[in-house]
Amino acid sequence: MAKFDKSVLEKYGITGTTEVLYNPSYEELFAEETKEGLTGFDKGQETELGAVNVMTGVYTGRSPKDKFIVDDENSHGTVWWTSDEYKNDNHPATKECWDAVKEIAKKELSNKKLYVVDGFCGANKDTRMKVRFIVEVAWQAHFVTNMFIRPQDEADLEQEPDFIVYNASKAKVENYKELGLNSETAVVFNVTSKEQVIINTWYGGEMKKGMFSMMNYFLPLKGIASMHCSANCDMNGENTAIFFGLSGTGKTTLSTDPKRRLIGDDEHGWDDNGVFNFEGGCYAKVINLDKESEPDIYNAIRRDALLENVTVAEDGKIDFADKSTTENTRVSYPINHINNIQPGSSAPAAKQVIFLSADAFGVLPPVSILTPEQTKYYFLSGFTAKLAGTERGITEPTPTFSACFGQAFLELHPTKYAEELVKKMEKNGAKAYLVNTGWNGTGKRISIRDTRGIIDAILGGDIDKAPTKQIPMFDFTVPTELPGVDTNILDPRDTYTDAAQWEEKAKDLAARFIKNFAKYEGNEAGKALVAAGPKL
Ligand SMILES: Nc1ncnc2c1ncn2[C@@H]1O[C@H](COP(=O)(O)OP(=O)(O)O)[C@@H](O)[C@H]1O
Ligand SMILES: C=C(OP(=O)(O)O)C(=O)O
Ligand SMILES: [Mn+2]
């Protein structure tokens, strides 16, 4: 364990600290989180696979309604605030509210033994942020150790932090109404002081997606694309592909491919040097995880990995099928738990851009080859379904338009992200594909095996040689046959007993697209894109 000067905490207003464990080793984290005497959500349980499991209480997914950003001189004119015309998750908080929640966090974290973890967000040295997490729960220190890029040397450790996260998951905001907050739970960002406060939620994802939101704020302002996508490349570190998708659509599953090197499973930047990961680990869903069909993720679940909300018997036996706590059961692991990873977590510009959409209506083809105009239209639309569990209150697949396939994490207007992405794609001649990892006319979700076959065909180039046809209303170009993929699913109409059933649902979906896109038609660029969207 590296040295840490406790007086630094006093500078932050945290006093009476009895002990600090600074960037504890995995050995120390294990000992701390399984220590005798721990109770409740502090307590970790060692499982049969060697990984420790923890429970996170009421919050087992993100809580977007409790996300706030301090509305001040810096954020006021830059942040894409929620409005009546276009609701999003960027709720404004007053400076008084910030002072109050910061006070709650300071009080909660004072007079305690603390864990301080410094990690990096961003694999590129010139644009990374050094993030300092101050937590009182051992496994939270473990979580951020897994998910952020671990410092490599003394110089890394000595660097001043660029951002500080105070996790006060044990505290509550009693006077939340007075402060203009949504509940006793609060996740509040201050882009001026570069701090985040977390109150009353233990969900690990709140810590990683919080910093993703901040990268989404700072990077596009520097001309770097910031993307809710996974990324991998070939075994020579070339031919990068990126996979956009909202939670549960398959970013982690599909980028973890034994034939390719993983760059990262969730958050990436794209600058003039190429695509780079923000994170040092992965955060996979483990509901119904099957050893045979997802061996790499399964094998990553070993000592140093951290399970969340998984059902574990007293003897450590894991039941991955049990959803009684949540469907959003998770595991975080350092990226080196995957065999094939790209050294340095960065690779040249992407050649293929894949939009993963889990269509709960069963309308979208399993794969469509997009034109450049369709690429912009479908990226801005971000149509998909929210899957059960990842957000509070979502209990079944719920169709949604999540701009740029990650609306909950966008701090600037969606068109900014679209501009940056398209600029990079055009410069590098990248092509885009829309892949439906959701449902079709059979009423079942498209199989992982078929989707993997589709991804192989995209990455290997077979899709460019395949015969194609057009799908009405959406004018999608789809292949009529692909090696390794069930031919009967490629045209979604064939998956219905009667194509008229598809037609009816397609009309409904097309109308939703048109209605959703109206918000982008305020300027010429937006208006021009309408032609690339579905037509009734
Ligand atoms: N056709 C499919 N493609 C990808 N994932 C699928 C498919 N069908 C079912 N799944 C399941 O959906 C979930 C996808 O989750 P994950 O890869 O973690 O998504 P993300 O990383 O985008 O949040 C996994 O539990 C996976 O087993
Ligand atoms: C961790 C999350 O997302 P993803 O499933 O995309 O990793 C989340 O939305 O809380
Ligand atoms: Mn994921």
Side-chain angles (χ1 to χ4, degrees):
M1 188 174 52
K3 275 213 286 292
F4 184 81
D5 180 2
K6 268 202 286 191
S7 67
V8 168
L9 294 170
E10 278 162 32
K11 203 176 74 191
Y12 304 148
I14 297 169
T15 56
T17 306
T18 54
E19 189 187 345
V20 178
L21 269 75
Y22 177 56
N23 277 30
S25 66
Y26 277 113
E27 254 342 280
E28 288 168 312
L29 288 166
F30 178 84
E32 291 290 316
E33 68 202 4
T34 57
K35 211 162 53 186
E36 225 169 290
L38 289 180
T39 56
F41 312 135
D42 280 277
K43 186 179 153 77
Q45 183 190 0
E46 190 179 357
T47 68
E48 57 180 330
L49 296 177
V52 165
N53 180 57
V54 295
M55 305 304 280
T56 68
V58 177
Y59 292 85
T60 55
R62 274 178 306 101
S63 191
K65 290 195 172 69
D66 295 306
K67 178 186 168 197
F68 287 79
I69 301 162
V70 182
D71 186 357
D72 64 14
E73 53 287 0
N74 289 316
S75 63
H76 191 77
T78 44
V79 167
W80 174 47
W81 301 104
T82 187
S83 66
D84 287 339
E85 302 81 65
Y86 191 169
K87 286 206 182 351
N88 67 37
D89 300 321
N90 296 325
H91 310 100
T94 62
K95 288 185 189 174
E96 292 69 41
C97 172
W98 170 256
D99 290 340
V101 294
K102 178 86 189 282
E103 198 54 42
I104 293 171
K106 286 193 288 197
K107 195 163 160 226
E108 177 59 38
L109 295 169
S110 285
N111 306 311
K112 300 259 166 76
K113 167 177 170 179
L114 296 176
Y115 304 87
V116 176
V117 177
D118 284 352
F120 291 97
C121 190
N124 264 10
K125 286 216 162 156
D126 33 344
T127 53
R128 69 186 185 181
M129 273 204 280
K130 180 167 176 178
V131 189
R132 172 163 292 168
F133 291 89
I134 305 177
V135 307
E136 60 176 309
V137 175
W139 71 254
Q140 290 172 350
H142 182 173
F143 177 83
V144 296
T145 301
N146 282 350
M147 294 310 303
F148 287 80
I149 298 172
R150 291 159 288 284
Q152 293 301 307
D153 50 37
E154 271 310 300
D156 277 356
L157 286 174
E158 275 162 17
Q159 193 186 320
E160 280 297 306
D162 301 302
F163 206 98
I164 303 179
V165 182
Y166 306 86
N167 193 329
S169 53
K170 293 187 185 183
K172 282 188 194 324
V173 191
E174 312 265 349
N175 59 336
Y176 67 89
K177 282 200 183 121
E178 226 170 275
L179 297 175
L181 295 171
N182 170 63
S183 75
E184 290 180 323
T185 302
V187 178
V188 189
F189 298 88
N190 187 326
V191 299
T192 301
S193 66
K194 302 206 164 101
E195 294 171 293
Q196 180 193 8
V197 164
I198 300 174
I199 300 176
N200 197 40
T201 165
W202 293 65
Y203 176 55
E206 213 71 77
M207 289 187 276
K208 74 159 226 131
K209 280 303 206 303
M211 286 322 298
F212 178 50
S213 294
M214 290 298 96
M215 293 299 264
N216 276 337
Y217 178 75
F218 293 111
L219 291 196
L221 296 175
K222 297 181 194 163
I224 300 171
S226 183
M227 314 177 290
H228 191 216
C229 68
S230 59
N232 65 19
C233 57
D234 67 19
M235 289 301 199
N236 298 319
E238 292 161 358
N239 293 305
T240 306
I242 56 180
F243 307 71
F244 282 89
L246 202 63
S247 185
T249 55
K251 294 184 299 298
T252 302
T253 306
L254 300 170
S255 59
T256 310
D257 178 341
K259 302 183 294 305
R260 310 211 0 127
R261 287 187 188 162
L262 181 66
I263 301 170
D265 83 323
D266 199 52
E267 311 170 0
H268 291 82
W270 187 348
D271 63 14
D272 292 339
N273 296 319
V275 171
F276 60 97
N277 194 359
F278 292 166
E279 305 184 281
C282 304
Y283 195 36
K285 282 172 157 290
V286 294
I287 197 72
N288 294 321
L289 182 70
D290 176 45
K291 191 179 175 171
E292 263 68 53
S293 60
E294 289 173 69
D296 296 292
I297 294 176
Y298 189 90
N299 291 327
I301 306 178
R302 49 187 147 98
R303 181 74 177 248
D304 300 346
L306 180 68
L307 294 156
E308 251 176 274
N309 296 310
V310 173
T311 299
V312 180
E314 221 157 297
D315 63 358
K317 199 153 175 31
I318 296 173
D319 181 359
F320 283 119
D322 188 44
K323 308 180 178 174
S324 57
T325 302
T326 174
E327 268 191 61
N328 191 31
T329 54
R330 293 272 179 169
V331 62
S332 63
Y333 46 85
I335 193 162
N336 58 23
H337 276 207
I338 298 295
N339 286 337
N340 296 328
I341 56 174
Q342 169 70 349
S345 289
S346 67
K351 292 261 173 65
Q352 279 113 354
V353 174
I354 297 167
F355 298 153
L356 304 173
S357 169
D359 173 16
F361 292 121
V363 171
L364 297 183
V367 58
S368 311
I369 304 164
L370 301 181
T371 65
E373 293 305 294
Q374 284 177 325
T375 302
K376 294 179 206 168
Y377 183 91
Y378 286 96
F379 186 64
L380 276 177
S381 298
F383 170 71
T384 186
K386 285 189 180 170
L387 301 192
T390 35
E391 282 185 12
R392 212 165 141 66
I394 304 288
T395 52
E396 55 183 50
T398 309
T400 183
F401 289 91
S402 182
C404 313
F405 301 100
Q407 180 167 300
F409 322 109
L410 303 185
E411 301 310 313
L412 310 172
H413 194 271
T415 49
K416 181 75 186 148
Y417 301 90
E419 263 168 39
E420 292 304 333
L421 175 68
V422 168
K423 241 192 265 170
K424 301 289 187 292
M425 285 184 66
E426 282 173 353
K427 190 167 164 219
N428 297 286
K431 280 177 79 171
Y433 304 83
L434 179 63
V435 171
N436 176 10
T437 60
W439 287 259
N440 61 20
T442 62
K444 286 206 285 270
R445 202 165 164 186
I446 293 165
S447 71
I448 297 186
R449 173 205 270 257
D450 278 323
T451 302
R452 282 199 193 276
I454 286 166
I455 301 295
D456 289 349
I458 294 173
L459 301 181
D462 283 326
I463 200 164
D464 301 325
K465 296 172 219 141
T468 60
K469 65 158 121 165
Q470 298 303 113
I471 300 292
M473 260 182 276
F474 292 83
D475 204 24
F476 285 138
T477 302
V478 304
T480 51
E481 53 185 64
L482 285 181
V485 182
D486 178 2
T487 306
N488 302 315
I489 66 166
L490 290 171
D491 182 335
R493 291 170 293 187
D494 298 341
T495 64
Y496 287 83
T497 41
D498 179 354
Q501 293 171 317
W502 178 87
E503 189 112 355
E504 197 182 315
K505 289 187 173 207
K507 265 191 199 147
D508 171 67
L509 180 58
R512 288 174 192 249
F513 265 102
I514 293 164
K515 183 163 170 245
N516 173 67
F517 208 79
K519 56 182 174 259
Y520 297 115
E521 292 168 35
N523 61 32
E524 286 311 309
K527 234 182 274 166
L529 281 183
V530 174
K535 284 170 221 66
L536 281 172

